[in-house]
Amino acid sequence: MRVEYIQPFISSLQNAFQMMVGCTPQRCGLRLCDGQCPTHEISGVIGLSGRAAGMAILSFSPELALRATSVMLMCEATEVDSDVVDAVGELANMVAGAAKAELEEYELSVSLPNVVIGRGHQIRFPSNVTPICIPFETEFGPLTLEVGLTDLRAPVGA
Amino acid sequence: MRVEYIQPFISSLQNAFQMMVGCTPQRCGLRLCDGQCPTHEISGVIGLSGRAAGMAILSFSPELALRATSVMLMCEATEVDSDVVDAVGELANMVAGAAKAELEEYELSVSLPNVVIGRGHQIRFPSNVTPICIPFETEFGPLTLEVGLTDLRAPVGA
């Protein structure tokens, strides 16, 4: 995966959080993952397919997931329930949806989002894929963006 | 999701296990999930998109994941490592790939598979999607197939 593919995901994540959650996640690094990207307790996962195949993961601390749900649904979310699943899934969907529009040469479409819940869960990519992991900080807790994408287009000249 | 959409996933799962793992998973039920589908410790997750959007999950007991890896990679897998991630991801990819060929009216393509690892993890769908959950038994331990798919085609007459 080429590093420049990550930029549309970073900007769409920041836009989605500004618009939907009222905060601006601050990047605190960028790295290629060796399969041990830090994952928080609640992760939104969404597939991408077309002329590339991939997966994007947004991983939230519980505090941030509850805060995002409270703002998005105009309620007081206090436990990880189906409202939190819907809010985290919708944020994953918005981030992937906006990023794919900027990666138009891959003609990507998005799957349904799923939300993984569990302390200490790991989400791993196949060993032949090197995802890129971007940790963020927000005023309500940490957030991680992880994206792995494999180009399926025929090589030039093939 | 209409119940008949699940049949291609069931038959492709049974074919993939017969061919790749040398065992035939036996169905022990079918049910619509209320978001609490039983999940085992290692889950392969793969997105589907096209004229429908969805996600398919194959959830393995550790014993079954290790056995499948040992047979597929002709090695003696004894711990959950990147070989197990690759084997579980490849089974998810095979099942979704064969099922999409039988659901050709949806022109589906598949994302990269991801593998979720963690005791007690849950994988949840958005609340407006009712996935179908099929538990299986194998001689090496239990297995669950879960599929949620939303039709994105315009309704007839629209």
Side-chain angles (χ1 to χ4, degrees):
Chain A
M1 180 171 165
R2 286 158 56 197
V3 172
E4 60 266 34
Y5 298 167
I6 197 72
Q7 191 56 49
F9 290 91
I10 294 171
S11 47
S12 62
L13 181 146
Q14 290 179 318
N15 290 340
F17 272 74
Q18 282 162 8
M19 188 166 57
M20 302 301 288
V21 189
C23 69
T24 304
Q26 301 296 326
R27 278 177 57 182
C28 37
L30 175 153
R31 59 181 171 195
L32 300 180
C33 297
D34 58 358
Q36 300 298 328
C37 185
T39 311
H40 304 296
E41 205 165 315
I42 301 166
S43 301
V45 179
I46 190 161
L48 298 154
S49 58
R51 303 185 75 182
M55 196 74 97
I57 304 165
L58 284 187
S59 191
F60 295 66
S61 64
E63 296 71 24
L64 178 58
L66 292 172
R67 172 68 187 185
T69 305
S70 297
V71 176
M72 289 171 70
L73 303 186
M74 291 182 288
C75 65
E76 180 67 26
T78 56
E79 59 175 353
V80 178
D81 58 10
S82 63
D83 285 344
V84 175
V85 168
D86 285 347
V88 168
E90 182 54 24
L91 284 167
N93 191 50
M94 289 179 70
V95 170
K100 83 178 168 76
E102 290 194 47
L103 294 166
E104 57 187 349
E105 67 269 36
Y106 298 104
E107 299 170 17
L108 295 171
S109 55
V110 297
S111 76
L112 285 180
N114 267 188
V115 176
V116 181
I117 301 170
R119 193 182 298 263
H121 73 259
Q122 295 176 39
I123 304 179
R124 305 270 294 267
F125 281 81
S127 62
N128 62 346
V129 177
T130 304
I132 293 175
C133 176
I134 318 269
F136 292 88
E137 271 299 332
T138 77
E139 57 196 295
F140 307 109
L143 172 70
T144 305
L145 168 69
E146 189 176 9
V147 181
L149 200 63
T150 297
D151 195 335
L152 302 178
R153 298 174 303 176
V156 173
Chain B
M1 180 171 165
R2 285 157 56 196
V3 171
E4 60 266 33
Y5 299 166
I6 197 72
Q7 192 56 51
F9 290 90
I10 295 171
S11 48
S12 61
L13 181 147
Q14 290 180 317
N15 289 341
F17 272 75
Q18 281 163 8
M19 187 166 60
M20 302 301 288
V21 188
C23 69
T24 303
Q26 301 297 324
R27 278 177 58 183
C28 36
L30 176 153
R31 59 181 171 196
L32 300 180
C33 297
D34 58 358
Q36 301 298 327
C37 185
T39 312
H40 305 295
E41 205 166 315
I42 301 166
S43 300
V45 179
I46 189 161
L48 298 154
S49 57
R51 303 186 74 183
M55 196 73 98
I57 304 166
L58 284 187
S59 191
F60 294 67
S61 64
E63 296 71 24
L64 178 58
L66 292 171
R67 172 67 187 187
T69 305
S70 298
V71 176
M72 289 170 69
L73 303 186
M74 291 181 288
C75 66
E76 180 67 25
T78 56
E79 58 174 356
V80 178
D81 58 10
S82 62
D83 285 344
V84 175
V85 167
D86 286 347
V88 168
E90 181 55 23
L91 284 167
N93 190 49
M94 289 179 71
V95 170
K100 84 178 167 74
E102 289 194 48
L103 294 165
E104 58 188 349
E105 68 269 36
Y106 298 104
E107 299 170 17
L108 295 170
S109 55
V110 297
S111 76
L112 284 180
N114 267 189
V115 176
V116 181
I117 302 170
R119 193 182 297 260
H121 74 260
Q122 294 175 40
I123 305 179
R124 304 271 294 265
F125 281 80
S127 62
N128 62 346
V129 177
T130 304
I132 293 175
C133 175
I134 319 269
F136 292 88
E137 270 299 330
T138 77
E139 56 196 296
F140 308 110
L143 172 70
T144 304
L145 168 68
E146 189 176 9
V147 181
L149 200 62
T150 297
D151 196 335
L152 302 178
R153 298 174 303 176
V156 173

